[in-house]
Amino acid sequence: MNDFIFHNPDKVYFGRNQMGNLPGELLNYGRKVLLVYGGGSIKRSGLYDQVVSLVRDNGMELFELSGVEPNPRHTTANKGAAICRKEGIDVILAVGGGSTIDCAKGIAAAAKTENGDVWPLVSSGVWATDALPLIAVLTNAATGSEMDAWCVISNMETNEKIGLGGDALIPKAAFENPEFSFSLPPYQTACGAFDIFNHVLDNYYLAGEATFDLVLEMQEAVMRTVVKWTPVALKEPDNYEARANLMWASSMALNSILDAGTVHACACHGMEHELSAYYDITHGHGLAILTPRWLTYILNEDTAPAICRLGERVFGLEKSDNVTEGAKKAIEAVNTFAFETLGLEPSLSRLGIDETHFRAMAEHVCGESGIIGVRSLNVDDVVNIYKMCL
């Protein structure tokens, strides 16, 4: 087990009747608020009107940035930063899913720079220690951005999608009302669910000796929750228990509580970021296509026990005397969950993607050292995994 430090200052208001606390949290930081959101979904649901009333009725001045993309652009973050700098914004309020919150984090960091440009921070791997305060109202269980220190920003001009992290990017408070996710389309629910599942599997689970029993059990509990409750949410979109379980799983999957010194390989996330950067596909869908192929590719005598355990502990498969065969059954269970239970298209070719850019994508994600993990991957490995996904 490795040494680790755990600290997460995010204050979470969870449940149906928590929005009355929003004005007080905003007023902790000032009276000029930048509201950041995506398309029209929060207006159709009535959440926009609720938020605007809470802000204005409590004496705050509201500014807006709408139109945040599913893969938030650096140009959009820069527009928000420009508003912050011009208007003297005190606090940013992100209302939406992970993309909206990610964009708001980019805005918060860029607003504190000399030129208001987020991309130099992203491209240089800066750890952000200065940013405007951010408060999040979550509408989609997926990325975990509502409770972590990271955001992912896309530069479509250079086909790059890169993470920006920093203590200053952790939201000061997050409001999680499962009812806000009732109106999500089935596709977004499915993609978000697989994103949660993969956060645990990709980031922490296959860590070998770097983990310990308590954390391993917690990781499996989060993945089991996704496997159990996503089909319910798809069948009954307004099932509060299903949505609540998924929303809290989203926060638990990536707020560092499951980290505890484990090794971060994040192979699937790295490979998927390239797909999103080149083809602007939905992140969770890309992860669903990649994950079972990656598991198949890395399966060997060293990885088989952990993959086999995944099948038994998360999917309820019978205990296998042959761990390699058990691991293969576990991978098939991941396949079934992604493409039958969630109903996602199973291949890149069905999303209109061919192998034209695979090598360039692989070279970018691997850099000089490759993807280090339970089975490290070089450029040829990544190209092969992409081809398995066609």
Side-chain angles (χ1 to χ4, degrees), residues 211-232:
T211 191
F212 57 105
D213 283 350
L214 172 62
V215 175
L216 197 59
E217 295 279 356
M218 292 169 67
Q219 292 165 4
E220 290 165 347
V222 171
M223 289 188 286
R224 271 199 309 273
T225 296
V226 175
V227 171
K228 175 182 177 180
W229 287 105
T230 307
V232 180

Side-chain angles (χ1 to χ4, degrees), residues 29-52:
Y29 305 100
R31 293 187 174 274
K32 287 192 172 185
V33 180
L34 175 64
L35 172 62
V36 179
Y37 59 99
S41 61
I42 67 167
K43 292 187 174 180
R44 291 191 296 271
S45 70
L47 179 56
Y48 173 86
D49 291 335
Q50 181 183 1
V51 168
V52 169

Side-chain angles (χ1 to χ4, degrees), residues 63-254:
F63 301 84
E64 296 187 21
L65 176 71
S66 62
V68 175
E69 307 86 355
N71 291 304
R73 313 296 200 253
H74 77 292
T75 50
T76 305
N78 290 347
K79 288 178 184 177
I83 296 172
C84 291
R85 291 155 64 85
K86 177 183 177 182
E87 305 295 345
I89 296 297
D90 298 311
V91 57
I92 299 172
L93 174 59
V95 181
S99 296
T100 295
I101 301 171
D102 276 11
C103 186
K105 290 180 179 182
I107 293 169
K112 290 287 190 173
T113 65
E114 288 187 10
N115 60 3
D117 188 355
V118 72
W119 195 249
L121 300 177
V122 175
S123 60
S124 60
V126 168
W127 185 254
T129 57
D130 190 19
L132 286 175
L134 166 69
I135 291 175
V137 177
L138 184 64
T139 63
N140 182 12
T143 70
S145 191
E146 68 277 2
M147 206 177 174
D148 73 11
W150 289 90
C151 64
V152 182
I153 304 296
S154 295
N155 185 332
M156 305 310 289
E157 298 165 9
T158 58
N159 297 123
E160 292 178 282
K161 181 176 178 179
I162 305 175
L164 171 66
D167 298 331
L169 303 184
I170 300 174
K172 303 301 183 183
F175 290 78
E176 302 188 28
N177 181 350
E179 292 175 331
F180 294 162
S181 62
F182 283 1
S183 60
L184 280 175
Y187 179 71
Q188 293 300 327
T189 298
C191 290
F194 201 90
D195 195 6
I196 301 168
F197 178 88
N198 186 264
H199 279 157
V200 182
L201 179 64
D202 198 21
N203 286 15
Y204 312 127
Y205 190 66
L206 299 175
E209 295 179 356
T211 191
F212 57 105
D213 283 350
L214 172 62
V215 175
L216 197 59
E217 295 279 356
M218 292 169 67
Q219 292 165 4
E220 290 165 347
V222 171
M223 289 188 286
R224 271 199 309 273
T225 296
V226 175
V227 171
K228 175 182 177 180
W229 287 105
T230 307
V232 180
L234 290 171
K235 185 177 180 181
E236 305 169 30
D238 58 354
N239 185 305
Y240 186 87
E241 291 302 313
R243 295 293 189 180
N245 273 278
L246 290 176
M247 193 163 274
W248 195 236
S250 167
S251 295
M252 291 298 101
L254 212 61

